[in-house]
Amino acid sequence: MTPQAAGPAYRRLSVEERRSQLLDAALSLFAHRAPEDVSLDDVAERAGVSRPLVYRYFPGGKQQLYEAALRSAAEELEQCFDEPREGPLLTRLSSALDRYLAFVADHDAGFSALLRGGSVAETSRTSAIVDGVRRGAAEHILSHLGVSEPGTRLRMTVRMWITAVEAASLIWLDEDKQPPADELRDWLVEQFLALLSVTARRDPQTEALVLTFSGDV
């Protein structure tokens, strides 16, 4: 008898691989639709699996899946500011913003729904996830500044700038991603320097920082 031709090899995914596959599918959908407009059937179809399989990994339904996808996105967002502590401060900050704006552009509607907090999927847990990204970004920036014990005014300045970056990103999406990302990046860096300069007039710690990094400008 002639042996039958072997079909394509099938590899069963591990638990982590399958979970990652479902999260990737969910994130790709949340990137272009508000969370309330995405169903578990949509996620199953995108991942090429059955709805019961999605429930097996996320028995809490869409809310649990959304929060897990949000954590995954949050980790990626926070990593945007995890730049090596080498070279001029402004170069590092520009590189971090390049990654941040690329993430915003890729996730578009999902990013808007997340930060605007207008989604029916929003809970105290999802809000905590977003706040964690902001805290993480602030810690990275203070680390780039070489400050381990920031005073109140410096902490406020960094957090104000992060808020400005978020707001600018949302407006940028509304304006069809204009100005170009590189121009927006440079503008945001200039705003950061301006905020530090204003704070330096009232805060000796920030004044010392501005003097230290003045050679980077």
Side-chain angles (χ1 to χ4, degrees), residues 118-139:
S119 167
V120 296
E122 184 194 17
T123 66
S124 59
R125 289 190 296 274
T126 60
S127 297
I129 292 169
V130 178
D131 286 341
V133 174
R134 293 168 180 149
R135 288 193 300 271
E139 289 172 2

Side-chain angles (χ1 to χ4, degrees), residues 22-33 46 106-107:
L22 295 175
L23 287 177
D24 287 344
L27 279 173
S28 68
L29 290 169
F30 292 138
H32 300 97
R33 301 187 214 166
R46 177 62 64 92
D106 289 343
H107 290 78

Side-chain angles (χ1 to χ4, degrees), residues 94-202:
S94 293
S95 296
L97 283 173
D98 280 338
R99 288 193 296 274
Y100 182 90
L101 292 174
F103 179 93
V104 172
D106 289 343
H107 290 78
D108 208 328
F111 179 83
S112 298
L114 164 62
L115 289 187
R116 285 191 171 115
S119 167
V120 296
E122 184 194 17
T123 66
S124 59
R125 289 190 296 274
T126 60
S127 297
I129 292 169
V130 178
D131 286 341
V133 174
R134 293 168 180 149
R135 288 193 300 271
E139 289 172 2
H140 280 304
I141 292 169
L142 288 168
S143 176
H144 284 299
L145 292 172
V147 178
S148 57
E149 297 182 4
T152 301
R153 292 182 187 273
L154 180 57
R155 280 200 312 273
M156 288 179 66
T157 299
V158 171
R159 293 180 64 182
M160 285 166 58
W161 182 71
I162 291 170
T163 300
V165 170
E166 289 182 359
S169 299
L170 291 171
I171 297 170
W172 185 59
L173 292 177
D174 284 344
E175 295 292 334
D176 296 324
K177 300 174 184 174
Q178 291 297 320
D182 58 342
E183 292 183 21
L184 178 59
R185 174 203 65 209
D186 292 343
W187 188 18
L188 290 171
V189 170
E190 290 167 3
Q191 289 181 14
F192 183 63
L193 290 174
L195 280 172
L196 286 177
S197 297
V198 171
T199 303
R201 299 173 190 169
R202 297 174 178 268

Side-chain angles (χ1 to χ4, degrees), residues 57-119:
Y57 282 82
F58 299 96
K62 187 174 76 171
Q63 183 65 39
Q64 183 184 8
L65 177 58
Y66 174 63
E67 291 174 9
L70 194 58
R71 287 191 188 91
S72 177
E75 290 171 1
E76 186 177 344
L77 257 180
E78 186 174 337
Q79 289 173 2
C80 290
F81 291 93
D82 190 13
E83 182 76 10
R85 275 54 173 175
E86 303 171 350
L89 171 66
L90 299 190
T91 300
R92 287 180 265 160
L93 195 57
S94 293
S95 296
L97 283 173
D98 280 338
R99 288 193 296 274
Y100 182 90
L101 292 174
F103 179 93
V104 172
D106 289 343
H107 290 78
D108 208 328
F111 179 83
S112 298
L114 164 62
L115 289 187
R116 285 191 171 115
S119 167

Side-chain angles (χ1 to χ4, degrees), residues 13-36:
L13 298 180
S14 69
V15 171
E16 284 305 313
E17 287 173 330
R18 179 67 74 188
R19 189 174 188 277
S20 178
Q21 178 199 28
L22 295 175
L23 287 177
D24 287 344
L27 279 173
S28 68
L29 290 169
F30 292 138
H32 300 97
R33 301 187 214 166
E36 58 266 33

